[in-house]
């Protein structure tokens, strides 16, 4: 009997092991939502069960981009009106999308009811998920920082514009200084070719190397590709609509790579840990 309980507990824990990736960038319009969505769909095509958490209430919402009908969002989950499973909408290849909550309230300043609602929402989640990808808003709000620091891997999307580099630097600096984050995965987006992506990465790592103690890794260079816009106009994703186009190939490679990133040993690899981190404050001593 005790043996049974122990094994079902073990099974439950194993089933809740999850990879959590946040997609950030600091600057608006650098391609965060497109990278999120296409990485999610590419991972789903590779057999992963993927959930996208839309933490951005911008105009180009994940659901809007795919032409999906959304009735309830995360704010209804936070208020306890419905469960997380009830707000999930299903996108291409079975990806689950948790639609954005309204407002820009900080995750660290939730009311006690919302706090309990969030914890309950994730602990009651019945949908089986291997990978959770969080699309964050532009800027460096508390909301963005909370989602980033709670995730295991942080993708920082940059493009070759001075403001993109300065905003990415500012984001990395705050996450490092105030939240103790050390590793960042860089995606060079809208570049001409791999070389330009590497140059962009060098520019960013030169400044971080001078002023911060962080480790940056270039994980993808996604070329500028008109098919991204063409796919969006068709309310589709480039990895589906134009899978052989250069950006789709680059993002599919990123998805394959991301699937191999290790999930931390307990407790960091658990969904509960993500939620705990989400609502926790800055690291002590900072
Ligand atoms: N590799 C690319 N090639 C061509 N166009 C791209 C590429 N990546 C993104 N775009 C275009 O750039 C625009 C911004 O993309 P997206 O909405 O994904 O950015 P974002 O960072 O999520 O923006 P926001 O900060 O507003 O949420 C869109 O019009 C999109 O089609
Ligand atoms: Mg976006």
């Amino acid at each position: 009997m005790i043996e049974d309980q122990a094994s079902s507990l073990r099974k439950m824990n194993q089933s809740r092991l999850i990879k959590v990736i946040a997609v950030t960038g600091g600057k608006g319009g650098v391609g965060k939502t497109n990278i999120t969505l296409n990485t999610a769909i590419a991972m789903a095509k590779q057999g992963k069960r993927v959930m996208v958490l839309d933490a951005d209430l911008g105009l180009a919402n994940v659901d809007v981009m795919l032409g999906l009908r959304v009735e309830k969002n995360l704010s209804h989950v936070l208020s306890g009106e419905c469960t997380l499973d009830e707000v999930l909408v299903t996108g291409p290849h079975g990806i689950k999308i948790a639609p954005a909550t309204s407002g820009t309230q900080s995750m660290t300043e939730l009311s006690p009811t919302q706090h309990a609602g969030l914890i309950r929402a994730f602990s009651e989640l019945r949908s089986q998920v291997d990978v959770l990808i969080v699309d964050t808003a532009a800027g460096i709000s508390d909301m963005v920082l909370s989602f980033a620091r709670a995730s295991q891997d942080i993708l920082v999307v940059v493009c070759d514009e001075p403001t993109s580099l300065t905003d990415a630097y500012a984001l990395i600096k705050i996450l490092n200084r105030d939240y103790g984050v050390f590793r960042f995965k860089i995606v060079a987006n809208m570049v001409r070719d791999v070389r330009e992506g590497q140059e962009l990465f060098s520019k960013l790592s030169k400044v971080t190397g001078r002023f911060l103690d962080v480790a940056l890794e270039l994980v993808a260079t996604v070329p500028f590709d008109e098919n991204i816009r063409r796919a969006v106009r068709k309310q589709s994703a480039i990895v589906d609509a134009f899978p052989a186009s250069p950006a789709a190939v680059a993002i599919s490679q990123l998805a394959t790579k991301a699937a191999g990133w290790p999930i931390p040993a307990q407790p960091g690899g658990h969904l509960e840990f993500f939620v705990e981190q989400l609502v926790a404050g800055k690291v002590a001593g900072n």
Side-chain angles (χ1 to χ4, degrees):
M1 182 62 188
I2 291 172
E3 186 91 316
D4 273 5
Q5 279 176 354
S7 99
S8 64
L9 197 65
R10 232 182 353 256
K11 244 181 241 153
M12 201 175 95
N13 277 339
Q14 277 165 0
S15 71
R16 297 188 74 84
L17 265 186
I18 186 169
K19 165 125 286 295
V20 186
I21 302 169
V23 182
T24 65
K27 188 179 181 304
V30 291
K32 298 178 291 296
T33 302
N34 275 281
I35 300 281
T36 300
L37 208 52
N38 281 290
T39 307
I41 294 172
M43 287 180 106
K45 285 170 96 168
Q46 294 168 12
K48 297 278 178 209
R49 295 167 298 184
V50 186
M51 179 165 142
V52 170
L53 200 132
D54 188 353
D56 175 13
L57 201 78
L59 271 181
N61 270 95
V62 173
D63 50 289
V64 174
M65 228 176 242
L66 293 172
L68 300 171
R69 245 180 81 106
V70 164
E71 274 159 17
K72 292 234 158 84
N73 62 41
L74 283 175
S75 70
H76 299 102
V77 177
L78 291 180
S79 64
E81 282 169 65
C82 55
T83 67
L84 187 52
D85 289 279
E86 283 164 354
V87 302
L88 294 180
V89 280
T90 304
H93 302 275
I95 65 164
K96 302 279 181 215
I97 298 152
T101 180
S102 49
T104 52
Q105 191 185 9
S106 159
M107 286 311 251
T108 55
E109 287 162 14
L110 297 176
S111 72
T113 315
Q114 290 173 317
H115 190 285
L118 188 73
I119 306 258
R120 192 170 358 93
F122 279 94
S123 57
E124 285 176 359
L125 183 69
R126 273 188 297 275
S127 306
Q128 293 286 314
V129 180
D130 303 312
V131 185
L132 173 63
I133 307 184
V134 185
D135 181 23
T136 68
I140 311 181
S141 64
D142 279 352
M143 187 81 142
V144 170
L145 296 171
S146 298
F147 276 108
R149 64 79 58 105
S151 301
Q152 297 154 13
D153 295 289
I154 302 175
L155 293 187
V156 182
V157 183
V158 288
C159 59
D160 196 11
E161 285 173 30
T163 49
S164 170
L165 283 173
T166 50
D167 288 6
Y169 175 77
L171 175 74
I172 290 170
K173 181 174 154 190
I174 294 180
L175 279 167
N176 178 248
R177 192 193 59 197
D178 294 352
Y179 297 88
V181 180
F182 172 68
R183 285 178 197 286
F184 298 86
K185 295 185 158 71
I186 310 300
V187 175
N189 189 27
M190 297 194 241
V191 292
R192 250 187 310 240
D193 49 33
V194 171
R195 213 185 54 138
E196 195 181 282
Q198 277 159 349
E199 281 167 9
L200 188 56
F201 176 72
S202 300
K203 279 187 211 166
L204 184 61
S205 32
K206 218 173 262 169
V207 263
T208 56
R210 239 177 102 189
F211 301 110
L212 307 172
D213 182 22
V214 290
L216 306 191
E217 180 192 353
L218 179 64
V219 292
T221 54
V222 181
F224 183 90
D225 188 339
E226 203 41 57
N227 289 320
I228 288 231
R229 273 175 239 259
R230 282 175 63 203
V232 170
R233 276 200 294 273
K234 287 170 62 167
Q235 290 194 314
S236 175
I238 190 174
V239 290
D240 256 343
F242 308 103
S245 66
V249 171
I251 297 174
S252 299
Q253 284 167 354
L254 169 64
T256 308
K257 211 183 255 185
W261 293 338
I263 297 177
Q266 304 206 19
H270 290 266
L271 198 53
E272 290 80 356
F273 186 78
F274 167 70
V275 182
E276 277 165 27
Q277 291 294 301
L278 196 56
V279 293
K282 294 178 183 182
V283 288
N286 279 284

